[in-house]
Amino acid sequence: TMSLMIDLTPEEEARLSELAKQEGLPPEEYVRRRLLADLIRGAGPDPKGEALARQMEAWIEEDSAATPEELEAREAEWQQLKADLNANRKASGERRLFP
């Protein structure tokens, strides 16, 4: 077995604690699982976009668990973001990004 000690800033420790809490795990177990996942899949460059594919799958799963009100709010935020980006680009003389 191997034991590691990692020095974290208070901000890093707080973020780690929050991430672990979201997963319902103690921080030590959260870090162990993340490390093992990296070791299993082989950390390093991701030329096939596997990390992106996993993130997309996670978002799809999130959406499937969302209420209609949550989905409506997300869509409204997205529409507002597109309008704001287009307005900013128009003001600077650039072409619109979204039709």
Side-chain angles (χ1 to χ4, degrees):
T1 64
M2 174 187 250
S3 295
L4 298 172
M5 181 179 283
I6 303 171
D7 293 321
L8 299 175
T9 65
E11 294 82 15
E12 292 166 338
E13 184 176 356
R15 180 70 179 134
L16 172 60
S17 293
E18 180 59 32
L19 290 170
K21 183 178 177 183
Q22 289 173 10
E23 297 289 324
L25 299 169
E28 299 81 5
E29 180 63 16
Y30 176 82
V31 170
R32 189 185 75 77
R33 289 183 184 191
R34 291 294 303 260
L35 177 60
L36 289 175
D38 283 349
L39 291 173
I40 289 168
R41 78 169 197 279
D46 186 11
K48 294 183 180 179
E50 292 171 5
L52 176 59
R54 283 191 303 278
Q55 183 62 56
M56 295 297 291
E57 289 170 2
W59 286 336
I60 290 168
E61 186 176 325
E62 271 181 33
D63 285 348
S64 70
T67 66
E69 294 79 16
E70 290 171 326
L71 293 174
E72 188 176 312
R74 289 180 196 171
E75 181 61 25
E77 289 174 2
W78 172 237
Q79 294 304 324
Q80 185 62 53
L81 175 62
K82 291 192 303 185
D84 292 346
L85 288 170
N86 279 339
N88 186 44
R89 290 180 66 86
K90 181 179 180 182
S92 65
E94 298 176 84
R95 70 172 181 79
R96 290 178 6 168
L97 292 175
F98 303 98

Coordinates of all heavy atoms in Angstrom, one line a residue:
T1 N 0.8 -1.2 0.0 CA 0.0 0.0 0.0 C 0.9 1.2 0.0 O 2.1 1.2 0.3 CB -0.9 0.0 1.2 OG1 -0.1 0.2 2.4 CG2 -1.8 -1.2 1.3
M2 N 0.3 2.4 -0.4 CA 1.0 3.6 -0.5 C 0.1 4.7 0.2 O -1.1 4.8 0.0 CB 1.2 4.0 -1.9 CG 1.8 5.4 -2.1 SD 1.9 5.9 -3.8 CE 3.7 5.8 -4.1
S3 N 0.7 5.5 1.0 CA 0.1 6.6 1.7 C 0.7 7.9 1.1 O 1.9 7.9 0.9 CB 0.2 6.6 3.2 OG -0.4 5.5 3.7
L4 N -0.2 8.9 0.9 CA 0.3 10.2 0.4 C -0.2 11.3 1.3 O -1.3 11.2 1.8 CB -0.2 10.4 -1.0 CG 0.2 9.4 -2.1 CD1 -0.6 9.7 -3.4 CD2 1.6 9.5 -2.4
M5 N 0.7 12.3 1.4 CA 0.2 13.5 2.1 C 0.3 14.6 1.1 O 1.3 14.8 0.4 CB 1.1 13.8 3.3 CG 0.7 15.0 4.1 SD 1.7 15.4 5.5 CE 1.1 14.2 6.6
I6 N -0.7 15.4 1.0 CA -0.8 16.5 0.0 C -1.1 17.8 0.8 O -2.0 17.9 1.6 CB -1.9 16.3 -1.0 CG1 -1.7 14.9 -1.7 CG2 -2.0 17.4 -2.0 CD1 -2.9 14.5 -2.6
D7 N -0.2 18.8 0.5 CA -0.4 20.1 1.1 C -1.4 20.9 0.3 O -1.1 21.1 -0.9 CB 0.9 20.9 1.3 CG 1.9 20.2 2.3 OD1 1.4 19.7 3.3 OD2 3.1 20.1 2.0
L8 N -2.5 21.3 0.8 CA -3.5 22.1 0.1 C -3.6 23.5 0.8 O -3.5 23.6 2.0 CB -4.8 21.4 0.1 CG -4.9 20.1 -0.6 CD1 -6.3 19.4 -0.4 CD2 -4.6 20.2 -2.1
T9 N -3.9 24.5 0.0 CA -4.3 25.8 0.6 C -5.7 25.7 1.3 O -6.4 24.7 0.9 CB -4.3 26.9 -0.5 OG1 -5.4 26.6 -1.4 CG2 -3.0 27.0 -1.2
P10 N -6.0 26.6 2.1 CA -7.4 26.5 2.7 C -8.5 26.5 1.6 O -9.5 25.9 1.7 CB -7.4 27.7 3.6 CG -6.0 28.0 4.0 CD -5.2 27.6 2.8
E11 N -8.2 27.3 0.6 CA -9.2 27.4 -0.5 C -9.3 26.0 -1.3 O -10.4 25.6 -1.6 CB -8.8 28.5 -1.5 CG -8.9 29.9 -1.0 CD -7.7 30.3 -0.1 OE1 -6.6 29.6 -0.2 OE2 -7.8 31.3 0.6
E12 N -8.2 25.4 -1.5 CA -8.2 24.1 -2.2 C -8.9 23.1 -1.3 O -9.6 22.2 -1.8 CB -6.7 23.7 -2.5 CG -6.1 24.5 -3.6 CD -4.6 24.3 -3.7 OE1 -4.0 23.9 -2.7 OE2 -4.0 24.6 -4.7
E13 N -8.6 23.1 0.0 CA -9.2 22.2 0.9 C -10.7 22.4 1.0 O -11.5 21.4 0.9 CB -8.6 22.3 2.3 CG -9.1 21.3 3.3 CD -8.5 21.4 4.7 OE1 -7.5 22.2 4.8 OE2 -8.9 20.7 5.5
A14 N -11.1 23.6 0.9 CA -12.6 23.9 1.0 C -13.2 23.4 -0.3 O -14.3 22.8 -0.3 CB -12.8 25.4 1.1
R15 N -12.6 23.6 -1.4 CA -13.1 23.1 -2.7 C -13.2 21.6 -2.7 O -14.2 21.0 -3.2 CB -12.3 23.6 -3.9 CG -12.8 23.2 -5.2 CD -14.1 23.9 -5.6 NE -14.5 23.4 -6.9 CZ -15.7 23.0 -7.3 NH1 -16.6 23.1 -6.4 NH2 -15.9 22.6 -8.5
L16 N -12.1 20.9 -2.3 CA -12.1 19.5 -2.2 C -13.2 19.0 -1.3 O -14.0 18.0 -1.7 CB -10.8 19.0 -1.7 CG -10.7 17.5 -1.4 CD1 -11.0 16.7 -2.6 CD2 -9.3 17.2 -0.8
S17 N -13.4 19.6 -0.2 CA -14.5 19.2 0.8 C -15.8 19.3 0.1 O -16.7 18.4 0.3 CB -14.4 20.0 2.0 OG -13.2 19.7 2.7
E18 N -16.0 20.4 -0.6 CA -17.3 20.6 -1.3 C -17.6 19.6 -2.4 O -18.7 19.0 -2.5 CB -17.4 22.0 -1.9 CG -18.7 22.3 -2.6 CD -19.9 22.2 -1.8 OE1 -19.8 22.5 -0.5 OE2 -21.0 21.8 -2.3
L19 N -16.6 19.3 -3.2 CA -16.7 18.3 -4.2 C -17.0 16.9 -3.6 O -17.9 16.2 -4.1 CB -15.4 18.2 -5.1 CG -15.2 19.4 -6.0 CD1 -13.8 19.3 -6.6 CD2 -16.2 19.5 -7.1
A20 N -16.3 16.6 -2.6 CA -16.5 15.3 -1.9 C -17.9 15.2 -1.3 O -18.6 14.2 -1.4 CB -15.5 15.1 -0.8
K21 N -18.4 16.3 -0.7 CA -19.7 16.4 -0.1 C -20.8 16.1 -1.2 O -21.8 15.4 -1.0 CB -19.9 17.7 0.5 CG -21.2 17.9 1.3 CD -21.3 19.2 1.9 CE -22.7 19.4 2.6 NZ -22.8 20.7 3.2
Q22 N -20.6 16.7 -2.4 CA -21.5 16.6 -3.5 C -21.6 15.1 -3.9 O -22.7 14.7 -4.3 CB -21.1 17.4 -4.7 CG -21.3 18.9 -4.5 CD -20.7 19.7 -5.6 OE1 -20.3 19.2 -6.7 NE2 -20.6 21.0 -5.5
E23 N -20.6 14.3 -3.7 CA -20.6 12.9 -4.1 C -21.0 12.1 -2.9 O -21.0 10.8 -3.0 CB -19.2 12.5 -4.6 CG -18.7 13.2 -5.8 CD -19.5 12.7 -7.0 OE1 -19.8 11.5 -7.1 OE2 -19.8 13.5 -7.9
G24 N -21.1 12.7 -1.7 CA -21.5 11.9 -0.5 C -20.4 11.1 0.0 O -20.6 10.1 0.6
L25 N -19.1 11.6 -0.1 CA -17.9 10.9 0.3 C -17.1 11.8 1.2 O -17.1 13.0 1.1 CB -17.1 10.5 -0.9 CG -17.7 9.6 -2.0 CD1 -16.9 9.6 -3.2 CD2 -17.9 8.2 -1.4
P26 N -16.3 11.1 2.1 CA -15.3 11.9 2.8 C -14.2 12.3 1.8 O -14.0 11.6 0.8 CB -14.7 10.9 3.8 CG -15.3 9.6 3.5 CD -16.3 9.7 2.5
P27 N -13.5 13.4 2.0 CA -12.5 13.9 1.1 C -11.5 12.9 0.7 O -11.1 12.8 -0.5 CB -11.9 15.1 1.8 CG -12.9 15.6 2.7 CD -13.7 14.3 3.1
E28 N -11.0 12.1 1.7 CA -10.0 11.1 1.4 C -10.5 10.1 0.3 O -9.7 9.7 -0.6 CB -9.6 10.3 2.7 CG -9.0 11.2 3.7 CD -10.0 12.0 4.6 OE1 -11.3 11.7 4.4 OE2 -9.6 12.8 5.4
E29 N -11.7 9.6 0.5 CA -12.3 8.6 -0.4 C -12.5 9.2 -1.8 O -12.3 8.6 -2.8 CB -13.6 8.0 0.1 CG -14.2 7.0 -0.8 CD -13.3 5.7 -1.0 OE1 -12.4 5.5 -0.2 OE2 -13.6 5.0 -1.9
Y30 N -13.0 10.5 -1.8 CA -13.2 11.2 -3.1 C -11.9 11.2 -3.9 O -11.8 10.9 -5.1 CB -13.7 12.6 -2.8 CG -13.9 13.4 -4.1 CD1 -15.0 13.3 -4.9 CD2 -12.9 14.3 -4.4 CE1 -15.1 14.0 -6.0 CE2 -13.0 15.1 -5.6 CZ -14.1 14.9 -6.4 OH -14.3 15.7 -7.5
V31 N -10.8 11.7 -3.2 CA -9.5 11.8 -3.9 C -9.0 10.4 -4.3 O -8.5 10.2 -5.5 CB -8.4 12.4 -3.0 CG1 -7.0 12.3 -3.5 CG2 -8.8 13.9 -2.7
R32 N -9.2 9.4 -3.5 CA -8.7 8.0 -3.9 C -9.5 7.5 -5.1 O -8.9 7.0 -6.0 CB -9.0 7.0 -2.7 CG -8.4 5.7 -2.9 CD -8.8 4.7 -1.8 NE -10.1 4.2 -1.9 CZ -10.5 3.3 -2.8 NH1 -9.7 2.7 -3.6 NH2 -11.8 2.9 -2.8
R33 N -10.8 7.8 -5.2 CA -11.5 7.3 -6.3 C -11.2 8.1 -7.6 O -11.1 7.5 -8.7 CB -13.0 7.5 -6.1 CG -13.6 6.5 -5.1 CD -15.1 6.6 -4.9 NE -15.5 5.7 -3.9 CZ -16.8 5.5 -3.7 NH1 -17.7 6.1 -4.4 NH2 -17.2 4.6 -2.7
R34 N -10.9 9.4 -7.5 CA -10.5 10.1 -8.6 C -9.1 9.7 -9.1 O -8.9 9.6 -10.3 CB -10.5 11.6 -8.3 CG -11.8 12.3 -8.0 CD -12.7 12.3 -9.3 NE -12.1 13.0 -10.4 CZ -12.4 14.3 -10.7 NH1 -13.2 15.0 -10.1 NH2 -11.8 14.8 -11.8
L35 N -8.2 9.4 -8.2 CA -6.9 9.0 -8.6 C -7.0 7.6 -9.3 O -6.4 7.4 -10.3 CB -6.0 8.9 -7.3 CG -4.6 8.4 -7.6 CD1 -3.8 9.2 -8.6 CD2 -3.8 8.3 -6.3
L36 N -7.8 6.7 -8.7 CA -7.9 5.4 -9.3 C -8.5 5.4 -10.7 O -8.1 4.7 -11.6 CB -8.7 4.5 -8.4 CG -8.0 4.0 -7.1 CD1 -9.0 3.2 -6.2 CD2 -6.7 3.2 -7.4
A37 N -9.5 6.3 -10.8 CA -10.1 6.5 -12.2 C -9.1 6.9 -13.2 O -9.0 6.4 -14.3 CB -11.3 7.5 -12.1
D38 N -8.2 7.9 -12.8 CA -7.2 8.4 -13.7 C -6.2 7.2 -14.0 O -5.7 7.1 -15.1 CB -6.4 9.5 -13.1 CG -7.2 10.8 -13.2 OD1 -8.2 10.9 -13.9 OD2 -6.8 11.8 -12.6
L39 N -5.8 6.5 -13.0 CA -4.9 5.4 -13.2 C -5.5 4.3 -14.1 O -4.8 3.7 -15.0 CB -4.5 4.7 -11.9 CG -3.6 5.6 -11.0 CD1 -3.4 5.0 -9.6 CD2 -2.3 5.9 -11.6
I40 N -6.7 4.0 -13.9 CA -7.4 3.0 -14.8 C -7.4 3.4 -16.2 O -7.1 2.6 -17.1 CB -8.8 2.6 -14.2 CG1 -8.6 1.9 -12.9 CG2 -9.6 1.8 -15.2 CD1 -9.9 1.7 -12.1
R41 N -7.9 4.6 -16.4 CA -8.1 5.0 -17.8 C -6.8 5.6 -18.4 O -6.7 5.7 -19.6 CB -9.2 6.0 -18.0 CG -8.9 7.4 -17.6 CD -10.0 8.3 -18.0 NE -9.6 9.7 -18.0 CZ -9.6 10.4 -16.9 NH1 -10.0 9.9 -15.7 NH2 -9.2 11.7 -16.9
G42 N -5.8 5.8 -17.6 CA -4.5 6.3 -18.1 C -4.6 7.8 -18.3 O -5.1 8.3 -19.2
A43 N -4.1 8.5 -17.3 CA -4.1 10.0 -17.3 C -3.2 10.4 -18.5 O -2.2 9.7 -18.9 CB -3.6 10.5 -16.0
G44 N -3.5 11.6 -19.0 CA -2.7 12.1 -20.1 C -3.6 12.7 -21.2 O -4.8 12.9 -21.0
P45 N -3.0 12.9 -22.3 CA -3.8 13.5 -23.4 C -5.0 12.7 -23.7 O -5.0 11.4 -23.6 CB -2.8 13.6 -24.6 CG -1.5 13.5 -24.0 CD -1.6 12.7 -22.7
D46 N -6.0 13.3 -24.2 CA -7.3 12.6 -24.5 C -7.6 12.9 -26.0 O -8.6 13.6 -26.3 CB -8.4 13.2 -23.6 CG -9.7 12.4 -23.8 OD1 -9.7 11.4 -24.4 OD2 -10.7 12.9 -23.3
P47 N -6.8 12.3 -26.9 CA -7.0 12.6 -28.3 C -8.4 12.2 -28.9 O -8.8 12.8 -29.9 CB -5.9 11.8 -29.0 CG -5.5 10.7 -28.1 CD -5.8 11.3 -26.7
K48 N -9.0 11.2 -28.3 CA -10.3 10.8 -28.8 C -11.5 11.5 -28.2 O -12.6 11.3 -28.5 CB -10.5 9.3 -28.6 CG -9.5 8.5 -29.4 CD -9.8 7.0 -29.2 CE -8.8 6.2 -30.0 NZ -9.0 4.7 -29.8
G49 N -11.2 12.5 -27.3 CA -12.3 13.3 -26.7 C -13.1 12.5 -25.7 O -14.3 12.8 -25.5
E50 N -12.5 11.5 -25.1 CA -13.3 10.7 -24.1 C -13.8 11.4 -22.9 O -14.9 11.2 -22.5 CB -12.5 9.4 -23.7 CG -12.2 8.5 -24.9 CD -11.2 7.4 -24.5 OE1 -10.8 7.3 -23.4 OE2 -10.9 6.6 -25.5
A51 N -13.0 12.4 -22.5 CA -13.4 13.2 -21.3 C -14.6 14.0 -21.7 O -15.6 14.2 -20.9 CB -12.2 14.1 -20.9
L52 N -14.6 14.6 -22.9 CA -15.7 15.4 -23.4 C -17.0 14.5 -23.5 O -18.1 14.9 -23.1 CB -15.4 16.0 -24.7 CG -16.6 16.8 -25.4 CD1 -17.1 17.9 -24.5 CD2 -16.1 17.4 -26.7
A53 N -16.8 13.3 -24.0 CA -17.9 12.4 -24.2 C -18.5 12.0 -22.8 O -19.7 12.0 -22.6 CB -17.5 11.1 -24.9
R54 N -17.6 11.8 -21.8 CA -18.1 11.5 -20.5 C -18.9 12.7 -19.9 O -19.9 12.6 -19.2 CB -17.0 11.1 -19.5 CG -16.5 9.7 -19.7 CD -15.5 9.3 -18.6 NE -14.4 10.1 -18.5 CZ -13.3 10.1 -19.2 NH1 -13.2 9.1 -20.2 NH2 -12.3 10.9 -19.0
Q55 N -18.4 13.9 -20.2 CA -19.0 15.1 -19.7 C -20.4 15.3 -20.3 O -21.4 15.6 -19.7 CB -18.2 16.4 -19.9 CG -18.8 17.6 -19.3 CD -19.0 17.6 -17.8 OE1 -18.0 17.3 -17.1 NE2 -20.2 17.8 -17.3
M56 N -20.5 15.0 -21.6 CA -21.7 15.1 -22.3 C -22.7 14.1 -21.8 O -23.9 14.4 -21.6 CB -21.5 14.9 -23.8 CG -20.7 16.0 -24.5 SD -21.4 17.6 -24.4 CE -22.8 17.4 -25.5
E57 N -22.3 12.9 -21.5 CA -23.2 11.9 -20.9 C -23.7 12.3 -19.6 O -24.8 12.1 -19.2 CB -22.4 10.5 -20.8 CG -22.2 9.9 -22.1 CD -21.3 8.7 -22.1 OE1 -20.8 8.3 -21.0 OE2 -21.0 8.1 -23.1
A58 N -22.8 12.9 -18.8 CA -23.2 13.4 -17.4 C -24.3 14.5 -17.6 O -25.3 14.5 -16.8 CB -22.0 13.9 -16.7
W59 N -24.1 15.4 -18.6 CA -25.1 16.5 -18.8 C -26.4 15.9 -19.2 O -27.5 16.3 -18.8 CB -24.6 17.5 -19.8 CG -23.5 18.4 -19.2 CD1 -23.3 18.7 -17.9 CD2 -22.5 19.1 -20.0 NE1 -22.2 19.6 -17.8 CE2 -21.7 19.8 -19.0 CE3 -22.2 19.2 -21.3 CZ2 -20.7 20.6 -19.4 CZ3 -21.1 20.0 -21.7 CH2 -20.4 20.7 -20.8
I60 N -26.4 14.9 -20.1 CA -27.6 14.3 -20.6 C -28.3 13.6 -19.4 O -29.5 13.7 -19.2 CB -27.3 13.2 -21.7 CG1 -26.9 14.0 -22.9 CG2 -28.5 12.3 -21.9 CD1 -26.3 13.1 -24.0
E61 N -27.5 13.0 -18.5 CA -28.1 12.3 -17.3 C -28.7 13.4 -16.4 O -29.8 13.2 -15.9 CB -27.1 11.5 -16.6 CG -27.7 10.7 -15.4 CD -26.6 9.9 -14.8 OE1 -25.7 9.3 -15.5 OE2 -26.7 9.7 -13.5
E62 N -28.0 14.5 -16.2 CA -28.6 15.6 -15.4 C -29.9 16.1 -16.0 O -30.9 16.3 -15.3 CB -27.6 16.8 -15.4 CG -26.6 16.8 -14.3 CD -25.7 18.0 -14.4 OE1 -26.2 19.1 -14.9 OE2 -24.5 17.9 -14.1
D63 N -29.9 16.3 -17.3 CA -31.2 16.8 -18.0 C -32.3 15.8 -17.8 O -33.5 16.2 -17.6 CB -30.9 17.1 -19.4 CG -30.1 18.4 -19.7 OD1 -30.0 19.1 -18.7 OD2 -29.7 18.6 -20.8
S64 N -32.0 14.5 -17.8 CA -33.1 13.6 -17.7 C -33.7 13.6 -16.3 O -34.8 13.2 -16.1 CB -32.6 12.2 -18.0 OG -31.7 11.7 -17.0
A65 N -32.9 14.1 -15.3 CA -33.4 14.1 -13.9 C -34.0 15.5 -13.6 O -34.6 15.7 -12.5 CB -32.3 13.8 -12.9
A66 N -33.9 16.5 -14.5 CA -34.4 17.8 -14.2 C -35.9 17.9 -14.4 O -36.5 17.2 -15.2 CB -33.7 18.8 -15.2
T67 N -36.4 18.8 -13.6 CA -37.9 19.1 -13.7 C -38.1 20.0 -15.0 O -37.2 20.7 -15.5 CB -38.4 19.8 -12.5 OG1 -37.8 21.1 -12.5 CG2 -38.1 19.1 -11.2
P68 N -39.4 20.0 -15.5 CA -39.7 20.9 -16.6 C -39.3 22.3 -16.3 O -38.9 23.1 -17.2 CB -41.2 20.7 -16.8 CG -41.4 19.3 -16.3 CD -40.5 19.1 -15.1
E69 N -39.5 22.8 -15.1 CA -39.2 24.1 -14.7 C -37.7 24.4 -14.8 O -37.3 25.5 -15.2 CB -39.7 24.4 -13.3 CG -41.2 24.4 -13.1 CD -41.8 23.0 -13.0 OE1 -41.1 22.0 -12.7 OE2 -43.1 22.9 -13.2
E70 N -36.9 23.4 -14.3 CA -35.5 23.6 -14.4 C -35.0 23.7 -15.9 O -34.2 24.5 -16.2 CB -34.8 22.5 -13.7 CG -34.9 22.5 -12.2 CD -34.4 21.2 -11.5 OE1 -34.5 20.1 -12.1 OE2 -33.8 21.3 -10.4
L71 N -35.6 22.8 -16.7 CA -35.2 22.8 -18.1 C -35.6 24.1 -18.8 O -34.9 24.7 -19.6 CB -35.8 21.6 -18.8 CG -35.3 20.3 -18.4 CD1 -36.1 19.2 -19.1 CD2 -33.9 20.1 -18.8
E72 N -36.8 24.6 -18.4 CA -37.3 25.9 -19.0 C -36.3 27.1 -18.5 O -36.0 27.9 -19.3 CB -38.7 26.2 -18.5 CG -39.3 27.4 -19.1 CD -40.8 27.5 -18.7 OE1 -41.5 26.5 -18.8 OE2 -41.2 28.6 -18.3
A73 N -35.9 27.0 -17.3 CA -35.0 28.1 -16.8 C -33.7 28.0 -17.5 O -33.1 29.1 -17.8 CB -34.8 27.9 -15.3
R74 N -33.2 26.8 -17.7 CA -31.9 26.7 -18.4 C -32.0 27.2 -19.8 O -31.1 27.9 -20.3 CB -31.5 25.2 -18.5 CG -31.0 24.6 -17.1 CD -30.6 23.2 -17.3 NE -30.5 22.5 -16.0 CZ -30.4 21.2 -15.9 NH1 -30.3 20.4 -16.9 NH2 -30.3 20.7 -14.7
E75 N -33.1 26.9 -20.5 CA -33.3 27.3 -21.9 C -33.4 28.9 -21.9 O -32.8 29.5 -22.8 CB -34.6 26.7 -22.5 CG -34.9 27.1 -23.9 CD -33.8 26.8 -24.9 OE1 -33.0 25.8 -24.6 OE2 -33.7 27.4 -25.9
A76 N -34.1 29.5 -20.9 CA -34.2 30.9 -20.9 C -32.8 31.5 -20.7 O -32.5 32.6 -21.3 CB -35.1 31.3 -19.7
E77 N -32.0 30.9 -19.8 CA -30.6 31.4 -19.6 C -29.8 31.4 -20.9 O -29.0 32.3 -21.2 CB -29.9 30.7 -18.5 CG -30.5 30.9 -17.1 CD -29.9 30.0 -16.0 OE1 -29.0 29.2 -16.3 OE2 -30.3 30.1 -14.9
W78 N -30.0 30.2 -21.6 CA -29.2 30.0 -22.8 C -29.6 31.1 -23.9 O -28.8 31.7 -24.5 CB -29.4 28.6 -23.3 CG -28.9 28.4 -24.7 CD1 -29.6 27.9 -25.8 CD2 -27.5 28.5 -25.2 NE1 -28.8 27.8 -26.9 CE2 -27.5 28.1 -26.5 CE3 -26.4 28.9 -24.5 CZ2 -26.3 28.2 -27.3 CZ3 -25.2 28.9 -25.3 CH2 -25.2 28.6 -26.6
Q79 N -30.9 31.3 -24.0 CA -31.4 32.3 -25.0 C -30.9 33.7 -24.6 O -30.5 34.5 -25.5 CB -33.0 32.3 -25.0 CG -33.5 31.0 -25.6 CD -33.0 30.7 -27.0 OE1 -32.8 31.5 -27.8 NE2 -32.8 29.4 -27.2
Q80 N -30.9 34.0 -23.3 CA -30.4 35.3 -22.9 C -28.9 35.5 -23.1 O -28.4 36.5 -23.6 CB -30.7 35.6 -21.4 CG -30.3 37.0 -20.9 CD -31.1 38.0 -21.6 OE1 -32.3 38.0 -21.6 NE2 -30.4 39.0 -22.2
L81 N -28.2 34.4 -22.9 CA -26.7 34.4 -23.2 C -26.5 34.7 -24.6 O -25.6 35.5 -25.0 CB -26.0 33.1 -22.7 CG -24.6 33.0 -23.1 CD1 -23.7 34.1 -22.4 CD2 -24.1 31.6 -22.8
K82 N -27.2 34.0 -25.5 CA -27.0 34.2 -27.0 C -27.3 35.6 -27.3 O -26.6 36.2 -28.1 CB -27.9 33.2 -27.7 CG -27.4 31.8 -27.6 CD -28.1 30.8 -28.6 CE -29.6 30.8 -28.6 NZ -30.1 29.8 -29.5
A83 N -28.4 36.2 -26.8 CA -28.8 37.5 -27.1 C -27.8 38.5 -26.7 O -27.4 39.5 -27.4 CB -30.2 37.9 -26.5
D84 N -27.2 38.3 -25.4 CA -26.2 39.2 -24.9 C -24.9 39.1 -25.7 O -24.3 40.2 -26.0 CB -25.9 38.9 -23.5 CG -27.0 39.2 -22.5 OD1 -28.0 39.9 -22.9 OD2 -27.0 38.7 -21.4
L85 N -24.5 37.9 -26.1 CA -23.3 37.8 -27.0 C -23.5 38.5 -28.3 O -22.6 39.2 -28.8 CB -23.0 36.3 -27.1 CG -22.4 35.6 -25.9 CD1 -22.4 34.1 -26.2 CD2 -21.1 36.1 -25.5
N86 N -24.7 38.3 -28.9 CA -24.9 38.9 -30.2 C -24.9 40.4 -30.1 O -24.4 41.1 -30.9 CB -26.2 38.4 -30.8 CG -26.1 37.1 -31.5 OD1 -25.0 36.7 -31.9 ND2 -27.2 36.4 -31.6
A87 N -25.5 41.0 -29.0 CA -25.6 42.4 -28.8 C -24.2 43.0 -28.6 O -23.8 44.0 -29.1 CB -26.5 42.7 -27.6
N88 N -23.3 42.3 -27.8 CA -22.0 42.7 -27.6 C -21.2 42.7 -28.9 O -20.4 43.7 -29.2 CB -21.3 41.8 -26.6 CG -19.9 42.3 -26.2 OD1 -19.8 43.5 -25.9 ND2 -19.0 41.4 -26.1
R89 N -21.4 41.7 -29.7 CA -20.6 41.7 -31.0 C -21.1 42.7 -31.9 O -20.3 43.3 -32.6 CB -20.7 40.3 -31.6 CG -19.9 39.2 -30.8 CD -20.0 37.9 -31.3 NE -19.4 37.7 -32.6 CZ -18.1 37.5 -32.9 NH1 -17.3 37.4 -31.8 NH2 -17.6 37.4 -34.1
K90 N -22.4 43.0 -31.9 CA -23.0 44.0 -32.8 C -22.4 45.4 -32.4 O -22.0 46.2 -33.3 CB -24.5 44.0 -32.7 CG -25.2 45.1 -33.6 CD -26.7 45.0 -33.5 CE -27.3 46.1 -34.4 NZ -28.7 46.1 -34.3
A91 N -22.4 45.6 -31.1 CA -21.8 46.9 -30.6 C -20.4 47.1 -31.0 O -19.9 48.3 -31.1 CB -22.0 47.0 -29.1
S92 N -19.6 46.0 -31.1 CA -18.2 46.2 -31.5 C -18.0 46.0 -33.0 O -16.8 45.9 -33.4 CB -17.4 45.1 -30.7 OG -17.7 43.8 -31.1
G93 N -19.1 45.9 -33.8 CA -19.0 45.8 -35.2 C -18.6 44.4 -35.7 O -18.3 44.3 -36.9
E94 N -18.8 43.4 -34.9 CA -18.5 42.1 -35.3 C -19.8 41.4 -35.8 O -20.9 41.8 -35.4 CB -17.9 41.3 -34.2 CG -16.5 41.8 -33.8 CD -16.0 41.1 -32.6 OE1 -15.3 40.1 -32.8 OE2 -16.2 41.6 -31.5
R95 N -19.7 40.3 -36.5 CA -20.9 39.5 -36.9 C -21.5 38.8 -35.7 O -20.8 38.5 -34.8 CB -20.5 38.5 -38.0 CG -19.7 37.4 -37.6 CD -19.5 36.3 -38.7 NE -18.7 35.2 -38.2 CZ -19.2 34.2 -37.5 NH1 -20.4 34.2 -37.1 NH2 -18.4 33.2 -37.1
R96 N -22.8 38.5 -35.9 CA -23.5 37.8 -34.8 C -23.0 36.4 -34.8 O -22.7 35.8 -35.9 CB -25.0 37.8 -35.1 CG -25.7 39.1 -34.9 CD -27.1 39.1 -35.3 NE -27.7 37.8 -35.6 CZ -29.0 37.6 -35.7 NH1 -29.8 38.5 -35.5 NH2 -29.4 36.4 -36.0
L97 N -23.0 35.8 -33.7 CA -22.7 34.4 -33.5 C -23.9 33.4 -33.7 O -23.7 32.3 -34.1 CB -22.0 34.1 -32.1 CG -20.7 34.7 -31.9 CD1 -20.2 34.4 -30.5 CD2 -19.6 34.1 -32.9
F98 N -25.0 33.9 -33.3 CA -26.2 33.1 -33.3 C -27.3 33.8 -34.1 O -27.6 34.9 -34.0 CB -26.7 32.9 -31.8 CG -25.7 32.3 -30.9 CD1 -24.9 33.1 -30.1 CD2 -25.5 31.0 -30.9 CE1 -24.0 32.6 -29.2 CE2 -24.5 30.4 -30.1 CZ -23.8 31.3 -29.2
P99 N -27.9 33.0 -35.0 CA -29.0 33.5 -35.8 C -30.2 33.9 -35.0 O -30.4 33.5 -33.9 CB -29.3 32.4 -36.8 CG -28.7 31.2 -36.3 CD -27.7 31.6 -35.3

